[in-house]
């Protein structure tokens, strides 16, 4: 029996756990692995249902991929083959396609679930071995708007620029568009003080499990219409400015652009915002005054105030502006960079933070460097042993990359790593057509996902507890995941796969195969960047989980900023205490304009999508865990009872939803916590139950984030005869 301390394979809370591998059972069966929560500040030793059952995905399973698969022709079934044949086939097709169409004929799609080492190597592989600009990742569907907003306003993108445990002392937490009670349950313990003081304010169009935390005087729930968050925030800012409730001294010392911002919110008086946001003028004024009073009390020696955003307010066509409005609201109150509170965004995917720092985005190089900045290009090229001229330019963001597959404007081949795009991407029918039109689709995965099932080549890879690596959690802490068990004999690390492909492609820039080697390279390449990892130590990461930036000059000695739990803190736990990330050291306010709302459907209903407690992302992992699937085995649509009665829908019956892009059928769940003009679907299911059959791929022009949370739909019952 052996014990290994590591971290959960799911969300960015990255709860600590201990994996115990027991001796092999009869007939040489794989060792049984059990999971227990371990002490860690973000999780307090707790695990959610997903984390507690994560070990069921380890070892030899009937559905585990253990050998490469290839398809001999378009209509053939996948068959097992050797690694040499599979890799030779990939290399020969890539070479032929690039010879015919140029380097950008090949695309690469990454993931926020990859370790830092894999995400870094994937970006390096694309730009040096493939020489393609066509790389992006599924974080474009998750964190792009928040990242763009933080970069524009604060000058630096780190989800929480303070330790999560700082929330433990908060008197007021404004939580916008995040259902943490379901998506990361251990997070809720950090809201207990705010709840005890009646200071938890949840903004969500449905009365989610998190909204229910405000019951019995623990706080307040505001239910704007889908897409109404931006007018709501602009109107709250209007009230703060009109009633002189802002921190003028802080604004004059630490920000620029207040005048332009003030003018842009001048038209959002509460009565006007009420008609657009769905929140009453009285509640808007109450929220502004409550936040201002709490911020003043904090500066007089009281408890801090925090504003947090999640995907519910960000996955919109105006998601960047909404996140900017939330940050601007925190600045008006004088919170960011102080001990009186602040702003943060709650990262979703396990390595959503590190994944967007390592260079797998269309416009980024490692260390949050820009691929269009000559100095950044020169620095990275030199450290990679190549020239800036040899690096490609910016590529296509994820939705455009996927929606142009197989066309004259798109790639002819796509390599997918850690993503299931025919479930997670908007307008999945369009994506499916594009995948079928490709000359080559290669998928690296642990299981045969819906995307892998369409591939020409499937490469079986190791998973979270079968290899070493680092991840960066929602606070910017770099964590070590350690190998606890041995993976199937036929599976390989993606680091080995990328290095082997680069070698077979005669790349002039070699790739390292071992996680510790890649980690050392990350330290060198990110040195001097905004996301500086140069002062990190591979072994210390396993013990202290330091915060970036951590430079060579500010090494691994404990910071004077000590944790509220008394643990030693390494690195930079709290950003912006002295200056913001812009060259002038100030936060940059600016004008924010709300766009007109989408036209309502013929039935006046809007679909919003989200997560369930039992499932994660596209469900490739959690739908394979028996206990989790039993709780929620199929796609459902939640409908207010009054809406259901009006349309002849019954609880448990089947209904059909139609949008401009597709149709699907799902089982009805009555939910009195929804607005009557809103229906809700989880996005974890594939096939005919994929919620993204309905979403259209409308994009935020700044972040290229798709519109997932506000899709006009029609809804009607399906008879048993029609459903056969």
């Amino acid at each position: 029996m052996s014990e290994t301390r590591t971290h959960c394979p799911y969300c960015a809370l990255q709860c600590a756990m201990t994996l115990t591998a027991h001796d092999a059972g009869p007939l040489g069966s794989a060792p049984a692995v059990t999971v227990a929560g371990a002490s860690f500040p973000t999780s307090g030793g707790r695990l959610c249902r997903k984390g507690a059952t994560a070990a069921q995905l380890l070892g030899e399973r009937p559905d585990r991929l253990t050998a490469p698969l290839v398809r001999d022709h378009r209509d053939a079934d996948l068959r097992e083959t050797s690694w040499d044949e599979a890799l030779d086939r990939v290399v020969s097709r890539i070479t032929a396609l690039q010879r015919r169409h140029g380097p950008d004929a090949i695309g690469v799609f990454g993931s926020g679930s990859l370790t830092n080492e894999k995400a870094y190597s994937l970006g390096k592989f694309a730009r040096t071995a493939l020489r393609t600009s066509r790389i992006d990742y599924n974080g474009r569907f998750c964190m792009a708007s928040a990242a763009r907003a933080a970069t524009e306003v604060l000058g630096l993108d780190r989800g929480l620029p303070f330790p999560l445990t700082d929330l433990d002392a908060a008197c007021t937490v404004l939580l916008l568009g995040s259902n943490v009670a379901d998506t990361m349950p251990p997070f809720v313990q950090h809201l207990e003080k705010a709840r005890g003081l009646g200071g938890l304010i949840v903004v969500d169009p449905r009365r989610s499990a998190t909204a229910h935390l405000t019951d019995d005087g623990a706080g307040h729930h505001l239910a704007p219409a889908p897409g109404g968050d931006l007018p709501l925030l602009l109107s709250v800012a209007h009230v703060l400015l009109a009633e002189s409730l802002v921190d003028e001294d802080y604004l004059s010392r630490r920000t620029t652009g207040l005048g332009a911002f003030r003018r842009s919110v001048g038209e959002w008086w509460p009565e006007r915002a009420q008609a657009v946001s769905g929140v009453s003028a009285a509640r808007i004024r109450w929220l502004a005054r409550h936040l201002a009073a709490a911020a003043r009390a904090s500066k007089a020696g009281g408890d801090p105030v925090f504003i947090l955003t999640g995907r519910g307010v960000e996955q919109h066509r105006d998601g960047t502006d909404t996140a900017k409005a939330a940050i601007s609201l925190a600045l008006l109150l004088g919170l960011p960079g102080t001990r009186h509170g602040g702003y943060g965004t709650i990262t979703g995917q396990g390595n959503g933070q590190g994944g967007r720092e390592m260079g797998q985005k269309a416009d980024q190089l490692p260390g949050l460097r820009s691929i269009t900045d000559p100095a950044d290009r020169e620095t990275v090229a030199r450290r990679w042993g190549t020239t800036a001229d040899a690096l490609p330019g910016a590529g296509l963001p994820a939705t455009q990359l996927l929606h142009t597959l197989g066309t004259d404007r798109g790639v002819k081949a796509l390599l997918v790593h850690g993503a299931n795009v025919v479930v997670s991407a908007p307008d999945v029918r369009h994506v499916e057509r594009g995948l079928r039109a490709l000359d080559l689709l290669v998928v690296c995965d642990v299981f045969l996902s819906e995307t892998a099932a369409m591939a020409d080549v499937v490469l079986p890879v190791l998973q979270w507890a079968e290899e070493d690596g680092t991840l960066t959690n929602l606070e910017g802490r770099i964590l070590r995941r350690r190998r606890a068990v041995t993976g199937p004999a036929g599976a390989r690390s993606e680091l080995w796969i990328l290095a082997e492909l680069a070698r077979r492609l005669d790349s002039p820039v070699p790739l390292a195969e071992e996680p510790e080697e890649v980690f050392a390279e990350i330290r060198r390449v990110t040195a001097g960047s905004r996301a500086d990892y140069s002062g990190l130590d591979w072994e210390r990461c396993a013990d202290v989980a330091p915060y970036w930036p951590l430079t060579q000059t500010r090494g691994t000695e404990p910071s004077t900023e000590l944790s509220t739990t008394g643990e030693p803190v390494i690195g930079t736990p709290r950003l912006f205490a002295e200056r913001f990330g812009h060259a002038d050291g100030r936060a940059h306010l600016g004008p924010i304009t709300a766009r007109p709302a989408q036209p309502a459907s013929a039935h006046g209903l809007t679909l919003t999508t989200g997560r369930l407690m039992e499932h994660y992302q596209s469900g490739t992992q959690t739908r394979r865990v028996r206990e989790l699937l039993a709780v929620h085995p199929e796609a459902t649509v939640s409908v207010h009872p009054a809406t259901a009665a009006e349309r002849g829908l019954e609880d448990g019956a089947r209904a059909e939803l139609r949008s401009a892009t597709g149709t699907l059928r799902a089982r009805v769940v009555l939910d009195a916590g929804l607005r009557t003009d809103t229906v809700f679907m989880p996005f974890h299911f594939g096939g005919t139950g994929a919620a993204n059959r309905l979403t259209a791929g409308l994009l935020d022009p700044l972040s290229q984030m798709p519109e997932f949370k506000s899709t006009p739909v029609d809804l009607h019952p399906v008879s048993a005869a029609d459903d056969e």
Side-chain angles (χ1 to χ4, degrees), residues 310-375:
R311 306 302 80 74
V313 299
E314 297 161 6
Q315 288 178 325
H316 290 279
R317 289 183 302 161
D318 56 10
T320 300
D321 282 336
T322 305
K324 287 169 64 176
I327 301 170
S328 300
L329 189 60
L331 291 168
L332 293 182
L333 297 169
L335 301 176
T338 76
R339 288 291 195 153
H340 309 302
Y343 162 83
T345 185
I346 302 172
T347 301
Q349 294 188 80
N351 200 30
Q353 180 70 57
R356 63 185 188 269
E357 299 164 5
M358 290 298 137
Q360 61 174 331
K361 286 181 69 176
D363 54 350
Q364 278 187 354
L365 292 168
L368 294 177
R369 289 188 169 100
S370 171
I371 200 164
T372 60
D373 183 278

Side-chain angles (χ1 to χ4, degrees), residues 60-75:
E60 300 283 354
R61 295 170 47 105
D63 55 354
R64 182 73 188 268
L65 295 174
T66 58
L69 305 174
V70 296
R71 198 184 306 275
D72 292 321
H73 56 81
R74 180 65 50 161
D75 298 324

Side-chain angles (χ1 to χ4, degrees), residues 23 91 121 173 177 224 246 252 311 325 334 351 418 519 526 529 596 646 685 718:
D23 293 337
V91 168
S121 293
V173 177
V246 300
S252 65
R311 306 302 80 74
N351 200 30
F519 180 84
T526 63
S529 72
E646 179 184 331
F685 298 91
V718 176

Side-chain angles (χ1 to χ4, degrees), residues 27-43:
L27 303 177
S29 61
V33 182
T34 56
V35 176
S39 175
F40 192 65
T42 62
S43 54

Side-chain angles (χ1 to χ4, degrees), residues 236-257:
V236 171
H238 172 98
V239 174
L240 291 175
L241 289 162
E243 299 186 4
S244 300
L245 299 175
V246 300
D247 189 329
E248 296 283 2
D249 177 64
Y250 175 96
L251 290 168
S252 65
R253 287 186 297 105
R254 304 213 57 188
T255 73
T256 64

Side-chain angles (χ1 to χ4, degrees), residues 540-675:
R540 292 295 301 276
C541 284
D543 300 322
V544 299
Y547 298 82
W548 72 261
L550 188 61
T551 66
Q552 291 173 325
T553 55
R554 184 176 185 176
T556 54
E557 294 304 311
S559 165
T560 56
E561 301 275 1
L562 295 180
S563 163
T564 56
T565 61
E567 62 162 344
V569 173
I570 306 296
T572 313
R574 296 179 183 86
L575 299 175
F576 312 136
E578 298 175 1
R579 55 185 288 116
F580 289 102
H582 291 296
D584 61 5
R586 293 173 176 254
H588 290 187
L589 291 161
I592 300 176
T593 303
R595 297 175 182 83
Q598 290 190 72
S601 73
H603 287 275
L605 291 177
T606 299
L607 168 70
T608 188
T609 65
R611 298 178 181 176
L612 301 168
M613 178 181 287
E614 293 78 21
H615 291 296
Y616 180 72
Q617 299 298 84
S618 70
T620 302
Q621 295 160 282
T622 53
R623 284 188 277 124
R624 287 176 163 81
V625 177
R626 184 178 61 256
E627 296 93 325
L628 301 179
L629 189 62
V631 177
H632 210 114
E634 62 178 333
T636 56
V637 56
S638 298
V639 186
H640 191 281
T643 306
E646 179 184 331
R647 287 160 174 76
L649 301 168
E650 295 182 0
D651 192 35
R654 301 273 287 177
E656 184 170 274
L657 292 92
R658 296 176 183 170
S659 74
T661 58
T663 301
L664 66 77
R665 293 181 177 183
R667 198 165 302 282
V668 173
V669 174
L670 298 185
D671 183 356
L674 276 165
R675 292 172 55 96

